[in-house]
Amino acid sequence: MIRFEFPLTEQVRTWLRLEATWSRWRHFAQANTPDDHHAALMALFECVDIAGRSDLKRHLIAALEALCAAPTAQETTSQRPRRIALHEPVAQALALIDALRQQPGRIDHVMRTQPLLNALRTRAHVSGGVCAFDLPTYHFWLKLSAEKRRADLDAWAQPLHPLLDAIACVLAHLRAQSTPQTHTAANGCYQQPLDGRLPRLIQVWIDSAHRVVPKVSANKYQFNLHFIPVTDEGGIGTEAVSTQTVPFALTLCY
């Protein structure tokens, strides 16, 4: 099964972009070759660009405060395991809030004060602009030991940790709010009325054997799901919408 996630708010869209880019950074930073560590730095620059939004920290703090204020008094014994699964321990949320509030104002502080990163970030926008003759100091750094490069990568990424830890917490809570429900889309289309509340995130699971991808449109009263045929090469099929009946699983995360 392939999971597709569709954020319906700008906040969640930014969180998912940071999560995906940070995952790439971790993958390449843990490797050993210079090419992997170059890719890690490119992902790090993307993270810094995405995290540069002035409202990101404020929205994360508000989301964590909402977790702390989640009602517990009416919780039944059967609901308590569910609450644990939602990753809502108040102590964790409070610690993340404190870490965010102690974070310096500009997330790119290390980039601006580290000459190597500053030069690389400027040249990275030029196609083929990071050759050894363009950035000899960067070429020298790439020839250092893998252990030294990994230590530098970890130090340069350190300012992002409070943001990414907070995003991991709020996304884990958001995703765990509901369990997938199975449905079928006749002729590749599915509609569902909403109760006046727009989900922040919609998750759709599809078996890859059906060779379709979902397309979502939504407002607070209804959302529409269309399944688009695709080829093995990732191209769009000849039909705008699949004519087959597509079984899928759906989660609405509020």
Side-chain angles (χ1 to χ4, degrees):
M1 298 288 281
I2 302 176
R3 184 184 71 175
F4 294 86
E5 292 190 313
F6 298 92
L8 299 185
T9 70
E10 188 61 29
Q11 293 174 24
V12 178
R13 191 173 295 115
T14 299
W15 297 345
L16 290 177
R17 284 175 175 157
L18 262 174
E19 179 189 54
T21 309
W22 185 248
S23 177
R24 283 196 291 114
W25 180 88
R26 287 200 311 267
H27 172 79
F28 289 116
Q30 292 168 2
N32 295 316
T33 71
D35 286 341
D36 284 318
H37 290 169
H38 174 75
L41 282 170
M42 297 303 104
L44 181 62
F45 294 156
E46 287 186 55
C47 285
V48 170
D49 289 341
I50 299 169
R53 294 185 50 143
S54 59
D55 58 352
L56 176 61
K57 186 191 300 186
R58 175 168 54 86
H59 288 153
L60 278 173
I61 290 175
L64 291 168
E65 288 175 340
L67 295 188
C68 295
T72 59
Q74 294 80 20
E75 214 169 50
T76 66
T77 302
S78 62
Q79 290 172 326
R80 285 177 190 135
R82 183 68 179 162
R83 179 172 174 80
I84 293 172
L86 291 179
H87 289 207
E88 285 188 20
V90 173
Q92 179 195 18
L94 290 175
L96 291 169
I97 290 171
D98 288 341
L100 287 173
R101 286 176 173 161
Q102 293 170 14
Q103 194 176 38
R106 289 183 63 103
I107 198 68
D108 64 347
H109 174 73
V110 172
M111 304 293 172
R112 293 184 295 111
T113 57
Q114 170 56 250
L116 175 62
L117 294 182
N118 202 26
L120 177 60
R121 193 179 183 189
T122 300
R123 294 294 304 176
H125 297 291
V126 180
S127 299
V130 294
C131 293
F133 56 82
D134 292 306
L135 293 173
T137 54
Y138 180 56
H139 182 66
F140 175 83
W141 181 82
L142 288 174
K143 298 305 179 182
L144 298 177
S145 68
E147 291 76 13
K148 166 61 176 170
R149 294 196 307 268
R150 273 196 299 269
D152 287 341
L153 288 170
D154 288 340
W156 295 335
Q158 194 63 38
L160 285 166
H161 284 194
L163 282 173
L164 273 298
D165 290 345
I167 287 173
C169 179
V170 296
L171 284 179
H173 166 72
L174 183 61
R175 288 169 172 143
Q177 284 185 0
S178 182
T179 55
Q181 304 295 318
T182 57
H183 302 275
T184 56
N187 295 318
C189 297
Y190 177 82
Q191 291 182 338
Q192 180 171 319
L194 301 173
D195 59 359
R197 291 191 306 150
L198 186 68
R200 290 190 290 169
L201 179 70
I202 291 178
Q203 297 177 312
V204 180
W205 282 263
I206 309 170
D207 190 327
S208 60
H210 292 291
R211 295 291 191 271
V212 294
V213 294
K215 180 180 180 181
V216 169
S217 60
N219 57 45
K220 64 182 181 179
Y221 302 110
Q222 177 177 286
F223 85 89
N224 302 297
L225 186 59
H226 297 87
F227 289 97
I228 312 301
V230 293
T231 65
D232 288 341
E233 294 77 24
I236 301 298
T238 56
E239 299 170 334
V241 179
S242 175
T243 57
Q244 62 178 308
T245 297
V246 181
F248 66 97
L250 175 72
T251 304
L252 304 181
C253 305
Y254 291 88

